[in-house]
Amino acid sequence: MAIYYNSSPTPQFHIQGKDFSYILHVLPNGQLGHLYYGRKIRHQKNFSHLMRQVPRATLSCVTEGDLAFSLETTQQEFPSYGTTDYREPAFQVVHETGHRISELIYVSHDLFKGKSKLDGLPATYVEDETEATTLKITLRDEQSGLETILSYSVFEQTNALSRQVKYCNTGQGRLELTRALSMSVDLDDADYELLQLSGAWARERHLEQHHLRPGIQSISSTRGTSSSQHNPFLALKRPGTTEHSGEVFGFSLIYSGNFLGQIEVDHFNTTRVQLGIHPFDFKWILDATEQFETPEVILVYSNQGINEMSETYHRLYRTRLARGVWRDRERPTLINNWEATYFDFDEDKIVTIAQTAQKLGVELFVLDDGWFGQREDDTTSLGDWYINEKKLPNGMPHLVNRIRQTGLSFGLWFEPEMVSKKSRLFQEHPDWIIEVPGYHHSHGRHQYVLDFSREEVVDHLFEQMTTILGSADISYVKWDMNRYMTEIGSATLPYERQQEVAHRYILGVYALYERLIEAFPAILFESCASGGARFDPGMLYYAPQAWASDDTDAVERLKIQYGTSIVYPLSSIGAHVSAVPNHQVHRHTSLATRANVAFFGTFGYELDITRLSFEEQEEIKQQIHFFKKHRKLLHTGIFKRLVSPFDGDGNETAWSVISGNKEEALIAHYQVLARPNPRLKRLKLSGLDPEKNYRVNGNVYSGDELMYIGLSLPEPYTGADLQQKSQQGDFSSILYHLVAVRIEQNYLEKTSFTKVVN
């Protein structure tokens, strides 16, 4: 069993994962305390000695006569407001009387194999009950009847721990939740560096790190989505921790709406970590017998560096968060027409692109924005999900049949959560948008957010989308969402429930996804939100891949994909080769470098393939052949980050993917700008078998040599030989394919990509 229970002197629970221990207990006043989270220790019959308290003159103490027991100096598991603890609580409840004090006292617990499903929320799961053990602890406030059930599920052979809370009103009166976080944990000291993924549109999930300081530091979103600005993830690492050594604690929220990730360092250097739905502008009313479930948080511990933490998240999210027929299936190489045509296309142009793409090995054609309503630009027709007869006079089935006849599958773009004021839908239902009556309607890109907290809105979108998806053989849907919420309100909710809108909205999004998946289980969904504004674990439960960023420039994608890989598997990262000059930053990069970056994701193209030269088309044909040959390795292998674009001047990046049996690997090295007369360089690899020998570029090296000495990178131009050409210029890249061999094995022919590309 991965969870141990000690009944005395007070109830204690010892959760063990592969390499970690997590210990909690019942405090003398009946509330829940925390004792330890860190490297795995042996189980003991009593851990009470881990709780230490001493009298302090300035403390507010819990029990009359006891000058040592104060919640201010006690590590807690689920702290409440207003009873000797002045730090921020995990929850807060307003009672009918108006008071805000709660005392959640331990009532009981339940231990069982397996893991429970959440109602209406995405969450990790198990396929066999032996994969996880779950502990549920029931706490109760007798005055109000508030009951909370804290859930802990440990995945037995991993370093992942799931936490989640259910709030239940078992009393007679109304309760108002004004703060309902999913987890809180008090760590013994503050000697950590905070690692977060932050940015903005076109530069999402950049890696940011800084030392903890006294007070509160946080990441959050109040935009209605998880946002481009902050991803719902944070990690605490010890100073000196690197990618491959040292201790790190990861916290990832499986949720797609407003969130708060908060670190509070108090005057005794205790660190409180909290994560969950953002309490700003949030309130949830619980009438008698009603319940509220919070999203799930996944905690991951590593004592072997950041990369090991990432590997745990990758495996868990790829195999036990993503679902459906596409979870383990190889993803098709696609071409999307957006940057090729934007709104300017007709049926023949689309078919011509598809015909050319099929000859080069593309497997899926995706028709992007502009196929519906009267859509000729971004000012009109969102919400009118019927065929634009001006562009497609023969209808969707006819177009899909023509694409299918080329040998390609067909995919379609939707933006179901939005509406244009110039649309049939808005004219018929102007009250269906998120709004506050009497106030100005802010717009984003000429569009407005539909009120997905209303069932009739979700029903209408489901009917429209199923009509289109059921009319033809459509195997892929790109689900976009291109603006944040403003003037958050709903026309149908009573005034006292208006602060429920943001959460009810995201529950409506999840519900529509679930209904569509049930109706069309063979469709591959890819989520998108103005690029990466909703790239979060919640979306992966419904769509196993997500568009990482609208910025498709290969150089910018190095930071975006590197940061994204801290939490998310390569199989989830939408990455395409686009045209040059790049449409976002106007940079010229080689076709080879664009592909060498995009290979490390769900690979595709986003350009007008018919306008390329014969030589460029032949190069694309080789790229697609290479990706198809290696996509299983790329999507299921172990990802290793080797050189960070966030270190130093950011001129170099390197990473690799290694097969589970360590028989094969792909290594990538990228250089932004060429430097004059640089030093000779070696790239130290990671994750190989030191006892194996690997062939690369026609030579054989031992695994230990490649990891501890390094792989020699190409020699630069030094000026000694006027005939020599520099093998590496600006925006260059190189891929190496390593295969384990016996020394006597014949020469293994290298691929055309194991060379420097200028």
Side-chain angles (χ1 to χ4, degrees):
M1 178 176 288
I3 301 179
Y4 298 90
Y5 170 61
N6 294 337
S7 59
S8 63
T10 62
Q12 299 172 351
F13 307 92
H14 180 190
I15 303 171
Q16 282 187 339
K18 176 174 172 286
D19 298 308
F20 76 89
S21 286
Y22 189 105
I23 305 173
L24 54 152
H25 69 139
V26 176
L27 293 168
N29 67 338
Q31 292 179 230
L32 206 57
H34 180 81
L35 289 174
Y36 174 75
Y37 181 30
R39 191 158 185 165
K40 187 174 183 177
I41 63 173
R42 288 176 292 169
H43 182 64
Q44 302 175 32
K45 293 183 178 180
N46 187 1
F47 289 105
S48 297
H49 59 280
L50 295 179
M51 180 180 173
R52 298 179 62 198
Q53 293 186 319
V54 295
R56 299 177 188 271
T58 60
L59 290 181
S60 300
C61 298
V62 176
T63 307
E64 184 72 29
D66 186 344
L67 299 181
F69 181 38
S70 170
L71 295 179
E72 183 178 358
T73 57
T74 299
Q75 289 176 247
Q76 296 172 69
E77 189 64 17
F78 206 66
S80 59
Y81 164 76
T83 309
T84 77
D85 186 1
Y86 299 95
R87 294 167 291 179
E88 295 208 356
F91 74 101
Q92 189 170 12
V93 176
V94 179
H95 305 256
E96 277 195 325
T97 60
H99 73 74
R100 288 98 56 214
I101 304 300
S102 299
E103 291 183 352
L104 288 177
I105 305 303
Y106 169 79
V107 175
S108 63
H109 71 274
D110 185 23
L111 265 174
F112 59 90
K113 302 296 289 185
K115 187 176 184 294
S116 303
K117 182 179 174 63
L118 299 185
D119 183 20
L121 285 167
T124 55
Y125 59 89
V126 295
E127 293 187 339
D128 187 291
E129 66 175 17
T130 62
E131 294 178 12
T133 302
T134 295
L135 166 67
K136 289 183 180 287
I137 300 177
T138 299
L139 309 173
R140 182 178 172 84
D141 180 81
E142 291 296 339
Q143 291 295 321
S144 65
L146 175 67
E147 192 170 272
T148 64
I149 302 172
L150 276 58
S151 293
Y152 302 77
S153 294
V154 58
F155 292 84
E156 301 256 358
Q157 300 304 315
T158 75
N159 287 316
L161 173 65
S162 156
R163 287 193 59 180
Q164 186 267 341
V165 183
K166 180 187 291 186
Y167 298 88
C168 311
N169 185 353
T170 65
Q172 301 300 312
R174 168 174 284 190
L175 300 176
E176 294 181 357
L177 283 172
T178 58
R179 187 180 181 96
L181 301 180
S182 296
M183 63 134 297
S184 180
V185 62
D186 291 347
L187 302 178
D188 195 47
D189 64 81
D191 189 21
Y192 294 101
E193 294 173 343
L194 172 61
L195 184 155
Q196 64 192 63
L197 303 176
S198 299
W201 176 81
R203 49 181 173 85
E204 298 90 342
R205 292 173 302 285
H206 281 207
L207 189 60
E208 302 285 347
Q209 302 179 68
H210 62 81
H211 291 276
L212 293 187
R213 60 185 184 274
I216 291 175
Q217 43 247 275
S218 66
I219 57 171
S220 66
S221 173
T222 56
R223 299 167 181 264
T225 75
S226 50
S227 84
S228 300
Q229 284 65 30
H230 298 293
N231 199 257
F233 161 83
L234 58 88
L236 295 181
K237 69 184 186 71
R238 293 296 188 183
T241 292
T242 67
E243 285 285 1
H244 306 298
S245 67
E247 190 173 51
V248 60
F249 300 81
F251 305 87
S252 174
L253 179 66
I254 302 179
Y255 187 60
S256 308
N258 294 341
F259 77 93
L260 173 68
Q262 181 169 289
I263 309 293
E264 182 172 2
V265 177
D266 72 3
H267 50 301
F268 295 113
N269 268 4
T270 297
T271 298
R272 175 166 290 177
V273 186
Q274 297 180 325
L275 190 55
I277 295 173
H278 204 307
F280 174 78
D281 200 35
F282 167 84
K283 180 176 70 174
W284 196 272
I285 294 175
L286 288 177
D287 286 323
T289 73
E290 290 186 339
Q291 301 177 346
F292 179 83
E293 288 202 275
T294 70
E296 180 179 45
V297 175
I298 300 298
L299 289 70
V300 169
Y301 172 79
S302 167
N303 56 31
Q304 295 296 320
I306 301 167
N307 213 110
E308 185 187 70
M309 175 196 72
S310 299
E311 291 170 31
T312 301
Y313 278 122
H314 291 184
R315 286 192 300 271
L316 185 67
Y317 285 177
R318 180 174 57 82
T319 65
R320 291 299 180 267
L321 179 61
R323 302 174 295 161
V325 298
W326 285 102
R327 186 191 74 179
D328 303 321
R329 186 181 296 177
E330 292 182 358
R331 312 287 168 74
T333 300
L334 66 82
I335 188 164
N336 184 298
N337 74 296
W338 178 240
E339 290 193 13
T341 68
Y342 292 102
F343 294 106
D344 183 19
F345 63 84
D346 57 23
E347 182 178 298
D348 288 339
K349 181 181 286 190
I350 293 301
V351 172
T352 299
I353 292 174
Q355 290 171 334
T356 304
Q358 189 277 332
K359 293 175 183 177
L360 304 185
V362 171
E363 298 161 304
L364 167 66
F365 178 87
V366 179
L367 179 61
D368 211 279
D369 195 354
W371 60 266
F372 53 92
Q374 307 300 317
R375 186 82 158 173
E376 301 296 335
D377 55 38
D378 65 1
T379 67
T380 180
S381 297
L382 288 173
D384 294 345
W385 300 108
Y386 54 86
I387 296 300
N388 184 331
E389 295 181 353
K390 180 179 177 181
K391 293 180 180 179
L392 305 174
N394 300 311
M396 185 62 70
H398 185 268
L399 172 63
V400 174
N401 287 337
R402 289 189 68 185
I403 297 296
R404 295 288 295 168
Q405 287 171 6
T406 70
L408 299 186
S409 299
F410 183 84
L412 198 57
W413 179 95
F414 286 90
E415 192 171 1
E417 299 166 62
M418 302 295 155
V419 66
S420 307
K421 284 195 174 179
K422 294 180 182 178
S423 67
R424 181 188 301 174
L425 177 61
F426 185 81
Q427 296 306 311
E428 295 175 353
H429 301 284
D431 64 325
W432 276 15
I433 63 171
I434 295 284
E435 65 170 341
V436 177
Y439 284 84
H440 173 73
H441 296 164
S442 302
H443 76 90
R445 227 178 80 169
H446 312 289
Q447 59 192 56
Y448 302 83
V449 184
L450 287 169
D451 185 358
F452 267 51
S453 73
R454 299 172 61 169
E455 289 186 13
E456 65 269 32
V457 174
V458 175
D459 289 343
H460 178 80
L461 269 298
F462 177 73
E463 291 172 5
Q464 282 200 315
M465 293 179 73
T466 53
T467 297
I468 291 292
L469 295 176
S471 70
D473 188 4
I474 298 171
S475 61
Y476 166 102
V477 166
K478 180 181 178 181
W479 181 317
D480 209 343
M481 192 278 298
N482 278 305
R483 68 154 292 189
Y484 296 128
M485 289 185 186
T486 54
E487 297 87 43
I488 299 176
S490 173
T492 57
L493 286 176
Y495 75 92
E496 69 271 19
R497 291 187 178 271
Q498 289 297 315
Q499 289 173 294
E500 298 179 4
V501 173
H503 182 61
R504 288 183 181 274
Y505 175 92
I506 205 64
L507 293 179
V509 172
Y510 291 154
L512 181 56
Y513 258 116
E514 195 68 49
R515 291 171 67 180
L516 289 170
I517 290 169
E518 184 177 351
F520 303 98
I523 286 181
L524 169 61
F525 284 86
E526 177 170 289
S527 66
C528 177
S530 193
R534 203 163 63 185
F535 198 119
D536 59 64
M539 286 290 104
L540 291 187
Y541 186 72
Y542 306 96
Q545 61 191 56
W547 187 224
S549 175
D550 282 342
D551 192 336
T552 56
D553 173 66
V555 174
E556 293 300 321
R557 272 301 186 104
L558 292 174
K559 286 186 174 180
I560 293 169
Q561 291 176 210
Y562 190 100
T564 303
S565 75
I566 296 291
V567 186
Y568 304 98
L570 297 192
S571 61
S572 71
I573 301 173
H576 295 173
V577 175
S578 62
V580 291
N582 176 263
H583 291 192
Q584 290 77 48
V585 299
H586 305 289
R587 193 184 342 256
H588 283 266
T589 55
S590 70
L591 185 57
T593 286
R594 281 175 272 160
N596 287 349
V597 175
F599 284 148
F600 293 84
T602 55
F603 185 65
Y605 292 85
E606 195 133 349
L607 44 73
D608 189 347
I609 208 165
T610 65
R611 302 180 66 180
L612 301 181
S613 67
F614 173 79
E615 290 75 17
E616 289 172 320
Q617 290 187 7
E618 286 299 303
E619 187 172 355
I620 285 177
K621 184 185 294 185
Q622 293 181 46
Q623 291 171 352
I624 293 172
H625 174 76
F626 176 84
F627 180 74
K628 289 178 179 178
K629 181 178 179 180
H630 297 289
R631 62 182 157 189
K632 183 176 181 181
L633 169 64
L634 286 163
H635 288 176
T636 64
I638 300 168
F639 186 68
K640 296 285 186 180
R641 293 179 296 272
L642 303 174
V643 179
S644 172
F646 299 101
D647 288 346
D649 60 7
N651 199 52
E652 294 181 63
T653 303
W655 52 48
S656 66
V657 176
I658 302 166
S659 63
N661 60 11
K662 301 186 178 183
E663 289 285 317
E664 185 181 14
L666 286 173
I667 317 296
H669 180 269
Y670 310 91
Q671 175 179 272
V672 178
L673 297 178
R675 299 287 170 79
N677 197 21
R679 67 178 180 87
L680 298 177
K681 297 179 182 178
R682 287 191 176 96
L683 177 63
K684 290 184 179 181
L685 307 185
S686 178
L688 302 177
D689 186 337
E691 302 299 321
K692 283 184 166 65
N693 297 302
Y694 295 90
R695 188 180 297 280
V696 54
N697 279 5
N699 300 312
V700 175
Y701 306 90
S702 65
D704 52 359
E705 177 185 345
L706 291 170
M707 291 191 292
Y708 310 143
I709 299 177
L711 177 66
S712 294
L713 295 176
E715 297 177 5
Y717 174 64
T718 62
D721 183 356
L722 296 180
Q723 302 302 314
Q724 178 193 7
K725 293 184 178 180
S726 174
Q727 295 188 52
Q728 284 195 303
D730 292 346
F731 321 132
S732 61
S733 61
I734 183 169
L735 287 186
Y736 297 96
H737 181 210
L738 280 63
V739 177
V741 294
R742 291 189 177 89
I743 296 297
E744 67 272 19
Q745 184 173 332
N746 292 331
Y747 170 77
L748 180 64
E749 183 178 359
K750 64 180 184 292
T751 75
S752 62
F753 292 91
T754 56
K755 67 178 188 299
V756 178
V757 184
N758 293 323

